[in-house]
Amino acid sequence: MNPDPSRSQLKIRRVHLDTGRENVVVISRRSKALRADIFRGFSRVELRLDDKTLLATLLITDDDALAAQDEIGLSEPAFRRFGKPVGTLVTVAPASPPESLEAVRAKIRGRTLDKAEIGAIINDLAHFRYSDMEIAAFLIGSASFITSDELLALTGAMAQVGTQLIWPDPIVVDKHCIGGIPGNRTSMVVVPIVAAHGLPIPKTSSRAITSPAGTADTMEVLARVNVGVEEMKSIVSSCNGCLIWGGHVNLSPADDVLISVERPLSLDTREQMVASIMSKKIAAGSTHLLIDIPVGPTAKVTTAIDAMRLRKLFEFVGDRFGRSVEVITTDGRQPIGSGIGPVLEANDVMAVLGNEADAPHDLREKSLRLAAHLLEYDPKLRGGAGYARARELLESGAALKQMQKIIDAQGPSTCSTDLGPISFDVRAAHDGVVSAIDCLRLNRLARTAGAPLDKGAGIRLFKKIGDRVEQGEPLYRVYTFDGPEHDLAVSAARQETGYMLNGREALQGGTQS
Amino acid sequence: MNPDPSRSQLKIRRVHLDTGRENVVVISRRSKALRADIFRGFSRVELRLDDKTLLATLLITDDDALAAQDEIGLSEPAFRRFGKPVGTLVTVAPASPPESLEAVRAKIRGRTLDKAEIGAIINDLAHFRYSDMEIAAFLIGSASFITSDELLALTGAMAQVGTQLIWPDPIVVDKHCIGGIPGNRTSMVVVPIVAAHGLPIPKTSSRAITSPAGTADTMEVLARVNVGVEEMKSIVSSCNGCLIWGGHVNLSPADDVLISVERPLSLDTREQMVASIMSKKIAAGSTHLLIDIPVGPTAKVTTAIDAMRLRKLFEFVGDRFGRSVEVITTDGRQPIGSGIGPVLEANDVMAVLGNEADAPHDLREKSLRLAAHLLEYDPKLRGGAGYARARELLESGAALKQMQKIIDAQGPSTCSTDLGPISFDVRAAHDGVVSAIDCLRLNRLARTAGAPLDKGAGIRLFKKIGDRVEQGEPLYRVYTFDGPEHDLAVSAARQETGYMLNGREALQGGTQS
């Protein structure tokens, strides 16, 4: 009297469809499994084989090339995560929503969640059991209001669900910038300085999602960054630091899932940001943390009041998790350094580390300031001596040497360091002083030019705020690899340069030479 | 200097993938359009050809069978909605989110929306410009709190965005049940009674989404229900009423979009329910409306207080839109009639209309009560005479004759009226009186048996609450068409019959004979 199991057994087929984070599977409209009616009214299914299960969103097809009558087509992420070969028989059943979704619905109705409920939600998120819609439900249910206890529970659960790094040292420092400022590659200067001093600083970074370069994209110009946990530990043990991509280390994987829905919805709440950053840093085993909040009209944080609110949240969460957290606000009115795009930014970093005469002064000064804060965490260093020590390590070449050591340990880059061969200059249409630079606009322009996929595409800035410019003088140069990208970038720059001269758009009232 | 448009022109290919409501398109990872970087970081694209545009969610493929380098694969709904032939060159660009999404984000942050903002959201929803995630964002952003003005704006916007029916008559009546009770096919008795009296009652119904039969599924056993607007008007003009599926009439299409996300998320707010029902009824041109709220432990509304709150919302919205709305609460403790599933329910309806001796008394009495309320809307009828008039029309055979006229006007059914040939009885394991029947459980069991896709699958109830049952006596019979469905249904019924005898599960403490 047991239901015939052959009805719901289908053969795995691989469908070369990149469905992003979401598991998607395809079943034929003529499938026996569908005919048995178990899927009617359901849009989510569960695949089972031995003790392996996978929740996925179901699409129906009339095309045997995607799934024949006795097959189930697994999209790329579903195939990868289920990890069974093509042709394997798998049991397919309608999936009930994850139990933790009941808590999400309670949150939407206005109830406060307890630690166990939040833990269950985060666990299901990290194991890809939520559909995009369900993730959106959790994010938006939490967006309107979240208590301090919920924020702590969220941060803790997110930190615990993936890899948790443990270091032998009593002090493990880290820095993090909340992002948004083009060219802001201070980590690549700060890490070698701090590591040269002897403090462990195991830095993992993200790749660009909406920006033209993440620290991982830029470091990749100089060294391999796809490094796993064990290798990371060995690099940090020999070099005191590393500059790797976080993707292979799996810190706070629920955060990556949440971000995959936050971005397309442009949801950006302070609490989510703090839980996201702090969960990754706690999982990374950092004990002493420096947070950089750039403030400026086109930065993520636009007012000092907002920066202070955010600072207090970071401090609160840090304190409750027993981490030393220092939060500083920095000048976010314009890009840092002269390059935007992986190769151009890597050049800036190496110029600063090499103490070259034309190295960007702002990147050097900001990096020294951040490094100084981190060095002050060293109990052996005399209070107030951080900045001088940072400068000494930079000017002596010790930081550069440490960077070379880290690069050697991570292994050689496979990327070309060539700049895009097709370039154009954007020139001022009238005399004036640079009064504003739009970070968002330049980020978009650098992406249009091809960054970060084309490592050598991007923008080199010739002028910063306060600089005098004469009519016809170049403000910046855009590098591309390809005629059409060049044309798109020219057209975008003509529409709006991102530069204001004396409060007026730089191209207004003149002609481009 | 204009960007080369050929970069972003791709040839339409049809991908036989049923992606439900959402428009999905597929582009090759090697596509020139992708290479131009305009899609990096975007997951939504816009297709343009002449003045036709379509927003869609983008998937990337490595399989030329889905989309070659110069092609864009359109999933079934995208292909249907874009309406251009295979091979047509179409311009593809990254899509900004719909502008109205800014209002959704404001709502999430706690701001109240005005009429224009809600109108823009509903317009974008109805034109399939929102992704599933974005729809979820709107629903959840509105779930926690919605003002009276927002509810009115929502209802009005939803009513206006699709078809709006206009009738020549000063009084156009309609009835609606909020659903959840198996077998509750009163509309199919009420419509012929009211139409026989002479009041116009143009009834559109839904198909089952999570239940074993909607009124449209059941009526389809007797007549064609896929009827469009013009034909509907002609049927109502000749018969005073109709019983058709709403899907071809396009009343409040934004509601269908919202429901497609509400269901998988199991979101169910009073305000959304009222906006959903009232927008469809306002668009349908009803002037006088009767709402049936069944109350019971396994009904949608479980307490009299909840029923009253819902009643007040219906009355408020009805009044503001100048519609007479009467709301009654009915007994929702158990199924209505003896059949669950399209054929079984259609049999119940015809037995009542035919005044057969074994016609289910509860379906007959409830239908007469509802018809009485509607008939009282007729100014020519003496106050309080509604019930007698309804019974007269039923007992005289006038209602049956009217039903035949409606069936003839809608055209013959193409469905078989056969019951499933494989059946089993669920019998009481001990003596007792039926003390409770679980509507949710019986709905699920009837679906497991094959309803509504198998019209003749379902459940026939032999006992209702208050009936004496002896050990071994059958409680109900389950009809299926297929061995495996039979086995699944037996297994489900054994786990839990849905019947309580003297407060104890009917199968407990004995053996099934």
Side-chain angles (χ1 to χ4, degrees):
Chain A
M1 283 301 257
N2 274 334
D4 173 10
S6 71
R7 291 293 297 246
S8 52
Q9 289 217 321
L10 297 173
K11 272 192 292 193
I12 290 181
R13 186 188 186 113
R14 184 173 180 176
V15 176
H16 296 281
L17 205 53
D18 183 351
T19 53
R21 186 202 38 68
E22 189 157 13
N23 295 326
V24 172
V25 297
V26 182
I27 293 184
S28 165
R29 199 181 299 282
R30 295 171 299 112
S31 172
K32 293 174 298 173
L34 271 177
R35 220 12 238 129
D37 190 47
I38 53 177
F39 297 113
R40 289 178 207 162
F42 288 91
S43 61
R44 299 274 289 167
V45 294
E46 185 180 72
L47 280 62
R48 263 196 313 268
L49 181 60
D50 308 328
D51 54 354
K52 183 94 190 165
T53 63
L54 185 89
L55 282 187
T57 294
L58 175 66
L59 301 181
I60 308 295
T61 187
D62 296 302
D63 185 353
D64 279 5
L66 291 171
Q69 198 170 350
D70 59 343
E71 288 181 326
I72 180 164
L74 272 61
S75 67
E76 290 297 345
F79 185 81
R80 199 173 59 239
R81 288 181 194 134
F82 199 57
K84 303 288 180 185
V86 169
T88 311
L89 269 181
V90 58
T91 303
V92 183
S96 313
E99 265 183 46
S100 63
L101 207 62
E102 202 35 66
V104 172
R105 280 191 284 265
K107 181 73 194 158
I108 292 170
R109 287 193 301 267
R111 184 160 72 70
T112 297
L113 303 185
D114 65 27
K115 209 170 156 178
E117 288 170 319
I118 289 175
I121 292 168
I122 293 302
N123 192 47
D124 283 338
L125 280 173
H127 292 90
F128 306 103
R129 297 199 192 103
Y130 272 36
S131 70
D132 280 350
M133 269 190 262
E134 290 163 352
I135 298 167
F138 173 64
L139 281 171
I140 297 157
S142 323
S144 54
F145 118 109
I146 175 168
T147 67
S148 303
D149 282 343
E150 284 177 321
L151 174 57
L152 292 176
L154 188 63
T155 308
M158 285 165 76
Q160 273 166 36
V161 85
T163 303
Q164 290 180 271
L165 296 174
I166 296 165
W167 304 98
D169 318 270
I171 295 178
V172 177
V173 304
D174 205 347
K175 69 158 284 286
H176 189 89
C177 175
I178 65 161
I181 307 299
N184 188 26
R185 287 288 85 81
T186 55
S187 291
M188 290 172 66
V189 180
V190 169
V191 166
I193 292 175
V194 171
H197 176 75
L199 276 182
I201 181 163
K203 180 96 184 89
T204 62
S205 305
S206 56
R207 292 187 184 278
I209 301 178
T210 57
S211 78
T215 292
D217 301 303
T218 303
M219 185 65 187
E220 199 170 31
V221 173
L222 307 174
R224 193 172 58 95
V225 297
N226 292 354
V227 167
V229 171
E230 289 315 311
E231 203 184 346
M232 175 193 187
K233 285 181 176 169
S234 123
I235 295 167
V236 173
S237 132
S238 66
C239 306
N240 293 328
C242 65
L243 281 156
I244 66 170
W245 179 45
H248 279 196
V249 186
N250 201 35
L251 302 169
S252 189
D255 180 46
D256 301 334
V257 171
L258 289 174
I259 284 177
S260 74
V261 172
E262 272 168 11
R263 296 287 157 117
L265 287 178
S266 301
L267 290 175
D268 220 353
T269 71
R270 272 195 297 271
E271 286 80 4
Q272 289 288 354
M273 185 195 276
V274 170
S276 161
I277 293 170
M278 291 304 291
S279 68
K280 277 206 151 60
K281 297 306 169 190
I282 291 165
S286 321
T287 60
H288 293 69
L289 186 58
L290 179 66
I291 304 281
D292 169 15
I293 303 181
V295 181
T298 56
K300 280 193 185 170
V301 173
T302 53
T303 69
I305 291 173
D306 283 347
M308 191 192 68
R309 285 199 188 124
L310 192 54
R311 193 196 85 200
K312 302 240 166 177
L313 274 183
F314 275 114
E315 290 169 349
F316 164 71
V317 173
D319 287 354
R320 294 303 177 94
F321 282 94
R323 317 285 159 141
S324 293
V325 172
E326 196 177 356
V327 181
I328 58 170
T329 55
T330 56
D331 182 354
R333 290 173 305 146
Q334 60 179 339
I336 300 288
S338 66
I340 304 172
V343 169
L344 287 154
E345 294 177 24
N347 291 349
D348 277 359
V349 165
M350 294 314 285
V352 169
L353 286 172
N355 295 296
E356 289 168 24
D358 60 349
H361 184 73
D362 55 352
L363 177 62
R364 176 190 156 98
E365 275 312 310
K366 181 168 177 183
S367 301
L368 283 174
R369 184 181 161 208
L370 297 177
H373 276 278
L374 289 173
L375 293 179
E376 297 276 352
Y377 283 138
D378 180 1
K380 297 192 293 293
L381 202 71
R382 193 167 174 82
Y387 185 85
R389 175 68 176 144
R391 199 175 51 193
E392 176 197 329
L393 289 162
L394 181 66
E395 290 181 350
S396 69
L400 179 61
K401 213 173 124 195
Q402 197 70 22
M403 183 64 154
Q404 283 302 348
K405 202 173 160 187
I406 291 171
I407 289 171
D408 291 346
Q410 292 187 196
S413 165
T414 55
C415 304
S416 157
T417 56
D418 292 345
L419 282 179
I422 312 175
S423 66
F424 67 94
D425 287 358
V426 172
R427 296 167 189 274
H430 54 93
D431 294 353
V433 172
V434 178
S435 52
I437 302 180
D438 186 329
C439 292
L440 297 168
R441 189 80 203 162
L442 291 180
N443 270 338
R444 265 203 299 275
L445 183 59
R447 283 183 75 89
T448 303
L453 280 204
D454 292 335
K455 295 273 185 197
I459 304 173
R460 174 179 288 164
L461 308 178
F462 300 122
K463 301 288 177 184
K464 297 300 254 318
I465 290 177
D467 287 348
R468 263 219 82 75
V469 185
E470 284 176 26
Q471 187 190 333
E473 238 190 319
L475 299 167
Y476 56 82
R477 183 169 296 160
V478 181
Y479 296 85
T480 64
F481 280 82
D482 193 350
E485 269 154 12
H486 169 267
D487 296 349
L488 280 172
V490 167
S491 149
R494 280 200 152 184
Q495 216 185 352
E496 204 183 313
T497 59
Y499 269 67
M500 302 286 268
L501 302 178
N502 301 347
R504 212 168 61 164
E505 159 61 46
L507 277 191
Q508 206 179 311
T511 50
Q512 198 186 352
S513 68
Chain B
M1 283 300 256
N2 273 334
D4 173 9
S6 72
R7 293 291 297 246
S8 53
Q9 290 218 321
L10 298 172
K11 270 192 295 196
I12 290 181
R13 185 187 185 113
R14 184 173 180 175
V15 176
H16 295 281
L17 205 54
D18 184 351
T19 53
R21 187 202 35 70
E22 190 158 13
N23 295 326
V24 172
V25 296
V26 182
I27 293 183
S28 166
R29 200 182 299 284
R30 296 173 297 113
S31 172
K32 294 173 299 173
L34 271 176
R35 218 18 236 126
D37 190 47
I38 52 175
F39 296 112
R40 286 177 209 162
F42 287 93
S43 62
R44 298 275 290 169
V45 293
E46 186 180 74
L47 280 62
R48 264 197 310 268
L49 181 60
D50 307 328
D51 53 355
K52 183 94 188 165
T53 64
L54 184 89
L55 282 187
T57 294
L58 175 67
L59 301 180
I60 307 296
T61 187
D62 295 302
D63 186 352
D64 280 4
L66 291 171
Q69 198 170 348
D70 60 343
E71 288 180 326
I72 180 164
L74 273 60
S75 68
E76 289 298 346
F79 185 81
R80 199 174 58 240
R81 287 180 196 136
F82 199 56
K84 303 288 180 184
V86 168
T88 310
L89 270 181
V90 57
T91 303
V92 183
S96 312
E99 265 183 49
S100 63
L101 206 64
E102 201 36 68
V104 172
R105 281 192 283 267
K107 181 74 195 159
I108 292 169
R109 287 193 301 269
R111 184 160 72 69
T112 296
L113 303 185
D114 64 26
K115 207 171 158 179
E117 287 170 318
I118 289 175
I121 292 169
I122 293 303
N123 193 49
D124 283 338
L125 280 172
H127 292 90
F128 306 102
R129 297 199 191 103
Y130 272 35
S131 70
D132 280 351
M133 271 189 261
E134 291 163 351
I135 298 167
F138 173 64
L139 281 171
I140 297 156
S142 323
S144 53
F145 119 110
I146 175 169
T147 67
S148 302
D149 282 343
E150 285 177 321
L151 174 57
L152 292 176
L154 188 63
T155 308
M158 286 166 76
Q160 274 168 34
V161 86
T163 302
Q164 290 180 271
L165 296 174
I166 296 165
W167 303 98
D169 317 86
I171 295 179
V172 177
V173 304
D174 205 345
K175 70 159 283 284
H176 190 89
C177 175
I178 66 160
I181 307 300
N184 188 25
R185 288 286 87 82
T186 54
S187 291
M188 289 173 65
V189 180
V190 169
V191 166
I193 293 175
V194 172
H197 176 74
L199 276 183
I201 182 164
K203 180 95 185 90
T204 62
S205 305
S206 56
R207 291 186 183 281
I209 301 177
T210 56
S211 79
T215 292
D217 301 302
T218 302
M219 185 64 189
E220 200 171 29
V221 172
L222 307 174
R224 192 170 59 94
V225 296
N226 292 353
V227 167
V229 171
E230 289 315 310
E231 204 185 344
M232 175 194 187
K233 285 182 176 168
S234 122
I235 295 167
V236 173
S237 130
S238 66
C239 306
N240 291 330
C242 65
L243 281 157
I244 65 170
W245 178 44
H248 279 195
V249 185
N250 200 37
L251 302 170
S252 189
D255 181 45
D256 301 334
V257 170
L258 289 174
I259 283 176
S260 74
V261 171
E262 269 168 11
R263 296 288 158 116
L265 287 178
S266 301
L267 289 175
D268 221 352
T269 71
R270 273 195 295 272
E271 286 80 2
Q272 290 288 353
M273 185 195 277
V274 171
S276 161
I277 293 170
M278 291 302 291
S279 68
K280 277 205 151 60
K281 296 305 171 190
I282 291 166
S286 320
T287 59
H288 292 69
L289 186 57
L290 179 66
I291 304 280
D292 168 16
I293 303 181
V295 181
T298 55
K300 282 192 183 169
V301 172
T302 54
T303 68
I305 290 173
D306 282 348
M308 191 191 68
R309 284 200 189 123
L310 193 54
R311 192 196 87 198
K312 301 240 167 176
L313 273 183
F314 275 113
E315 291 168 348
F316 165 70
V317 172
D319 285 356
R320 293 304 175 96
F321 282 94
R323 316 285 159 140
S324 294
V325 172
E326 195 176 357
V327 182
I328 57 169
T329 56
T330 55
D331 181 354
R333 291 173 304 145
Q334 62 179 338
I336 299 288
S338 65
I340 304 173
V343 169
L344 287 154
E345 295 177 24
N347 292 349
D348 277 359
V349 165
M350 293 314 284
V352 169
L353 287 172
N355 296 296
E356 290 168 22
D358 60 350
H361 183 73
D362 55 352
L363 177 62
R364 175 192 157 98
E365 275 312 308
K366 181 168 176 182
S367 300
L368 284 175
R369 183 179 161 208
L370 297 177
H373 276 279
L374 289 173
L375 293 179
E376 296 276 350
Y377 285 137
D378 179 2
K380 297 191 292 294
L381 202 71
R382 189 164 178 87
Y387 184 86
R389 173 70 176 145
R391 198 174 54 192
E392 176 197 330
L393 289 162
L394 180 66
E395 291 182 348
S396 69
L400 178 62
K401 210 172 127 197
Q402 196 72 20
M403 183 65 155
Q404 284 302 348
K405 201 172 163 187
I406 291 171
I407 290 172
D408 291 345
Q410 292 185 196
S413 165
T414 56
C415 305
S416 156
T417 56
D418 293 344
L419 281 179
I422 312 175
S423 65
F424 68 96
D425 286 357
V426 171
R427 294 166 191 277
H430 55 94
D431 294 354
V433 172
V434 177
S435 53
I437 303 180
D438 186 329
C439 292
L440 297 168
R441 190 80 202 161
L442 291 181
N443 269 338
R444 267 202 298 274
L445 183 59
R447 283 183 75 89
T448 304
L453 280 205
D454 292 335
K455 296 272 184 196
I459 304 173
R460 174 180 291 165
L461 308 178
F462 301 122
K463 300 288 176 183
K464 297 301 253 318
I465 290 177
D467 286 349
R468 265 219 79 77
V469 185
E470 283 176 28
Q471 187 189 334
E473 238 192 316
L475 299 166
Y476 55 82
R477 183 169 297 159
V478 181
Y479 297 86
T480 63
F481 279 83
D482 193 349
E485 269 153 13
H486 169 266
D487 296 350
L488 279 172
V490 167
S491 150
R494 281 199 153 187
Q495 215 184 353
E496 203 184 316
T497 58
Y499 269 67
M500 302 287 268
L501 301 178
N502 299 348
R504 212 167 61 161
E505 159 62 45
L507 277 192
Q508 206 178 309
T511 50
Q512 198 188 352
S513 67

